[in-house]
Amino acid sequence: MKQFISVDDVQSIHSLVTQALAYKANPLKDAGLGNGKKIGLLFLNPSLRTRVSTQVAAKNLGLETIVFNIDKEGWVLEFEEGAVMNGSTVEHIKDAAPALGSYFDILCLRSFPSLQSKEDDYAETIIQQFIKYAGVPVVSLESATLHPLQSLTDIVTISEVLKSSQTNATKKPKVVLTWAPHIKALPQCVANSFAEWMNAWGEAEFVITHPEGYELDEKFSKGATILHQQSEALKDADFIYVKNWSAYNDYGSMPAVNGDWMLTNERLQQTNNAKVMHCLPVRRNVELSDDILDGENSIVTQQAGNRVWAAQAVIATILNSNS
Amino acid sequence: MKQFISVDDVQSIHSLVTQALAYKANPLKDAGLGNGKKIGLLFLNPSLRTRVSTQVAAKNLGLETIVFNIDKEGWVLEFEEGAVMNGSTVEHIKDAAPALGSYFDILCLRSFPSLQSKEDDYAETIIQQFIKYAGVPVVSLESATLHPLQSLTDIVTISEVLKSSQTNATKKPKVVLTWAPHIKALPQCVANSFAEWMNAWGEAEFVITHPEGYELDEKFSKGATILHQQSEALKDADFIYVKNWSAYNDYGSMPAVNGDWMLTNERLQQTNNAKVMHCLPVRRNVELSDDILDGENSIVTQQAGNRVWAAQAVIATILNSNS
Amino acid sequence: MKQFISVDDVQSIHSLVTQALAYKANPLKDAGLGNGKKIGLLFLNPSLRTRVSTQVAAKNLGLETIVFNIDKEGWVLEFEEGAVMNGSTVEHIKDAAPALGSYFDILCLRSFPSLQSKEDDYAETIIQQFIKYAGVPVVSLESATLHPLQSLTDIVTISEVLKSSQTNATKKPKVVLTWAPHIKALPQCVANSFAEWMNAWGEAEFVITHPEGYELDEKFSKGATILHQQSEALKDADFIYVKNWSAYNDYGSMPAVNGDWMLTNERLQQTNNAKVMHCLPVRRNVELSDDILDGENSIVTQQAGNRVWAAQAVIATILNSNS
């Protein structure tokens, strides 16, 4: 694996999941793999779980880990080719990325979308420029349109639950991604990425439900059943992934929504005692009710904990591919 | 020791002090104790000595150490039970703490009081919620009402000075905590905590002096002699602990003060050549004069240096109790 | 070496350069040198290359490395002797530096000039106070008037290029430091420091070119040929170091400039196929054109990469001198 930007970079989801669960069972089993190697975690935006879990994962593999909040500890980068830099940007990605690349064996980058220009965001200009100029493997810590470490974690978590519940393996589990309300416009990253990974994984019946106007880019959602009635979608679900996103078509907007889309325990009645997932952070009682988050069906803490093992599997795979 | 939030968590102050001084003599004597373990230092507020000394302590024990400025590198946390999170808070402590707890063996947290609500601050809502939801031992890096790592350091420093001065051990040293002026309202943490620890330690004659209106919560000060005349309090003192705090009763206010409470070398004449302590940062020539801080009676640098050994003793004790 | 603040602290530039290139060939050859030692990187200002490369260098030597953004994670320091601290400064350098010094074996500090007071800046008040009170070796990560880690890197890079090009060693290379345009007033540090090091090194014909009004402090530039015509200066140059700086005489001002000082490939025609250097960050198409930075004559990425080896040589030399 030369980079980890989307599911397309992955040879075998199954292998990554197996490796992640092996690290969960034995975190330090490859404690010497990263000896003498360095990994840089670069942030253009805030982060909690991704920041901490990726550091833990890297340390478990013996890598020297350096965190750099480019936006706060450095300065504003320029990404436009040919820019005359007489404004607020201080350094061009073409100069910063090769310098950073020369210091590290692996670079990880978080950069959110602007939600202003669909074209720029969906071209993944920022992370693509990093990849182009850094000269070392790049791992996405969430980019403009995707969040692959989260999606790998999600499949690890679903696999883990299925294993422990020893359900009859002849029927694929039903996994529903449901849109949820929020007070501000959020990126489509987590939803895009989850859809992309679920479709590539193929080991679930995958349904997406959202209000009209919130259609995802078909590039990612194609292959899923898409429903506009949440109640219809939830029927017999084994897993419900709850997430808000803003509109893709009328880019970054928040079209008015009919009805109440916040999941509650009452709605879980229609499901097959579904486990409820969320990537966090979650706005309680806006996106998801207290009764679900504090109840027995929520697996959000297990899911958040698995971020470490997913990251560890990805970093180890890159180290093994490039040594 | 399951946590380190107040003196009540400590089995033996004497043992912690002995261990701290043993680490000062030989910092790396337990360099492998934390192997494979991880400690998280979480900050909701600024920090200098605590931030750095606790990292050094953890590294001396071989722990992987991750620092996370939640307020600056993450986002605003919600602490209210049942909150409808449609405002500025992005993640509830009920979701953030278990995730963070799953990444670390020990979590350390700094969270200052609001000084707005005595009830909330003195309920220690923030750190208590962390403890409730984190699921791993929590160490206070200063909470709303207490600063136990500082107080342990203070007793380590007093013990060290007494040892080196080989004073006649038959008489207990006189230790005076004196209020000092400041330009803004500060928490009562350091004063509360020092009082609590001195009373629990019991190896000194302990006097608190402050202007009227600056009474501390009796829960902490009970057992000390309390005087409103600084000059009376200072008489024959062996140690003077200088610190400002705002009012506890008229919570967070700064009642007008008669006379000048800033300690100077002249006032040291009344003492038994007292050593002068301060937790730092100190406002020079407001809280404490240059002539004292730059003079021979000040032990503030020795005291600041001892922060490492106090933290190391606490972390080691927790590791030994939970392994 | 007791400290690394200017070229005056260096016994032999040649030895440092040799050591830096040896580390580039074998980064981990002294991986145990810093065992049990701690280095603190303190920032009063933003940093990218210096921040990351110095951490990498320290880790290559086995030092425990702690980064502290004093300005953002701590509070505002006071540097004035005798100040009555009733304003915005929270802690005096006289109290902060000894505390920090007690935690570390080496302290590194970045502190930019104010560009308000030539006297204060050129007295190097901040870093000199740190040195005075810290009690441990101090390394400049760029101070008010100098940037010695950059200048050592620059000479390492020039030496490396000369070696690999196997030029006839009988003639000294011609190195030109040229002023370049910028949109805001920058410190003179990099230019001062480069001049100081080039003059001390003595292994190049050294020319400085800048518009009138941009004369550097003669303390640093004395010994160089100084020209006000860039085209004249560039003739037959082997290396061109491009950098903006504000005026030293009319301190911090930006006197009006005749003509265009931005270097382009066209101007390289006059040179001996000169290599182009810049310390970065660079304002593209303001200070330096895209065609140069993206062309074959630019060695800015090689130069940025060498920051690690220069820092590693300096830290190793300090460790070896003080053990």
Side-chain angles (χ1 to χ4, degrees), chain C residues 9 16 36 62 65 72 130 138 141 159 183 190 231 240-241 266 281 306 313:
Chain C
D9 298 312
L16 277 180
T65 307
K72 294 184 187 69
F130 245 90
V138 171
L141 302 175
S159 301
I183 61 153
V190 171
S231 57
I240 308 174
Y241 201 105
E266 201 186 344
N306 284 338

Side-chain angles (χ1 to χ4, degrees), chain B residues 16 26 29 31 33 55 62 64 68 77 85 99 120 131 144 146 158 197 243 250 287 299:
Chain B
L16 276 180
N26 188 358
K29 79 188 184 73
L33 183 63
Q55 283 183 76
E64 294 287 2
F68 177 34
L77 296 181
M85 291 172 58
D120 283 358
I131 292 168
L146 294 171
I158 291 172
W197 281 72
K243 186 72 187 84
D250 182 9
E287 278 182 275
I299 55 171

Side-chain angles (χ1 to χ4, degrees), chain A residues 30-41:
Chain A
D30 291 334
L33 182 64
N35 274 358
K37 300 279 174 79
K38 278 153 203 99
I39 190 168
L41 276 60

Side-chain angles (χ1 to χ4, degrees), chain B residues 138-174:
Chain B
V138 171
V139 172
S140 166
L141 303 175
E142 188 170 347
S143 65
T145 69
L146 294 171
H147 194 354
L149 280 177
Q150 182 63 52
S151 306
L152 172 57
T153 302
D154 299 335
I155 292 181
V156 167
T157 306
I158 291 172
S159 302
E160 192 181 24
V161 169
L162 290 174
K163 239 188 217 175
S164 72
S165 64
Q166 299 181 308
T167 322
N168 185 344
T170 57
K171 192 178 156 289
K172 286 183 177 179
K174 179 174 175 183

Side-chain angles (χ1 to χ4, degrees), chain B residues 16-32:
Chain B
L16 276 180
V17 169
T18 304
Q19 199 172 353
L21 291 172
Y23 283 131
K24 186 165 186 172
N26 188 358
L28 300 180
K29 79 188 184 73
D30 291 335

Side-chain angles (χ1 to χ4, degrees), chain C:
Chain C
M1 195 157 62
K2 295 291 175 199
Q3 62 181 27
F4 186 76
I5 305 303
S6 87
V7 77
D8 299 335
D9 298 312
V10 177
Q11 271 205 308
S12 162
I13 296 177
H14 181 77
S15 297
L16 277 180
V17 169
T18 304
Q19 198 171 352
L21 291 172
Y23 283 131
K24 185 165 187 171
N26 188 358
L28 300 180
K29 79 188 185 75
D30 291 334
L33 183 62
N35 274 359
K37 300 280 175 79
K38 278 151 203 101
I39 189 167
L41 276 61
L42 310 178
F43 291 91
L44 292 167
N45 304 98
S47 171
L48 185 149
R49 269 156 293 278
T50 299
R51 173 188 301 275
V52 176
S53 64
T54 310
Q55 283 183 76
V56 171
K59 286 173 185 275
N60 283 344
L61 295 167
L63 286 146
E64 294 287 1
T65 307
I66 293 175
V67 175
F68 176 34
N69 299 300
I70 299 182
D71 57 335
K72 294 184 187 69
E73 302 175 310
W75 36 68
V76 184
L77 296 181
E78 175 66 56
F79 292 92
E80 194 190 322
E81 185 72 32
V84 177
M85 291 171 59
N86 56 6
S88 60
T89 57
V90 172
E91 181 160 14
H92 203 287
I93 185 67
K94 291 167 84 168
D95 301 309
L100 289 165
S102 78
Y103 303 144
F104 294 104
D105 298 282
I106 301 177
L107 275 180
C108 305
L109 179 71
R110 164 161 289 196
S111 74
F112 287 168
S114 66
L115 292 185
Q116 302 300 309
S117 158
K118 186 200 288 195
E119 206 181 345
D120 283 357
D121 289 346
Y122 275 71
E124 288 283 6
T125 313
I126 291 181
I127 201 161
Q128 287 301 337
Q129 295 234 55
F130 245 90
I131 293 168
K132 183 171 174 189
Y133 296 113
V136 294
V138 171
V139 172
S140 167
L141 302 175
E142 188 169 348
S143 65
T145 69
L146 294 171
H147 194 354
L149 281 177
Q150 181 63 52
S151 306
L152 172 56
T153 303
D154 299 335
I155 292 180
V156 167
T157 306
I158 292 171
S159 301
E160 193 182 24
V161 169
L162 290 174
K163 240 188 217 174
S164 73
S165 64
Q166 299 180 306
T167 323
N168 185 345
T170 57
K171 193 178 155 287
K172 286 184 178 179
K174 179 175 176 183
V175 178
V176 179
L177 168 63
T178 180
W179 184 90
H182 204 283
I183 61 153
K184 56 177 229 177
L186 295 191
Q188 296 96 39
C189 305
V190 171
N192 284 343
S193 200
F194 186 69
E196 174 181 74
W197 281 72
M198 287 305 294
N199 285 323
W201 189 42
E203 303 198 15
E205 179 196 344
F206 181 45
V207 176
I208 304 174
T209 181
H210 56 72
E212 292 190 39
Y214 287 90
E215 290 71 25
L216 295 169
D217 184 352
E218 285 189 8
K219 183 169 65 169
F220 304 118
S221 62
K222 206 176 162 185
T225 304
I226 298 169
L227 300 172
H228 292 312
Q229 296 291 335
Q230 193 190 48
S231 57
E232 190 187 345
L234 296 183
K235 231 189 136 214
D236 299 324
D238 298 293
F239 294 87
I240 308 174
Y241 201 105
V242 180
K243 185 74 187 83
N244 169 269
W245 62 87
S246 62
Y248 167 73
N249 288 323
D250 182 9
Y251 193 61
S253 74
M254 299 171 70
V257 169
N258 286 328
D260 185 358
W261 280 74
M262 186 177 75
L263 202 66
T264 57
N265 265 343
E266 201 186 344
R267 295 191 191 172
L268 283 190
Q269 307 296 328
Q270 315 162 246
T271 72
N272 183 26
N273 195 24
K275 298 298 183 192
V276 179
M277 305 175 74
H278 190 288
C279 59
L280 304 180
V282 62
R283 297 266 183 159
R284 280 178 174 248
N285 304 313
V286 174
E287 279 181 274
L288 203 43
S289 63
D290 273 343
D291 66 351
I292 290 214
L293 283 165
D294 298 336
E296 292 191 352
N297 290 65
S298 167
I299 55 171
V300 301
T301 297
Q302 176 181 350
Q303 188 184 357
N306 284 338
R307 292 293 307 273
V308 172
W309 321 116
Q312 195 167 339
V314 165
I315 296 168
T317 302
I318 289 178
L319 286 176
N320 284 322
S321 315
N322 293 273
S323 59

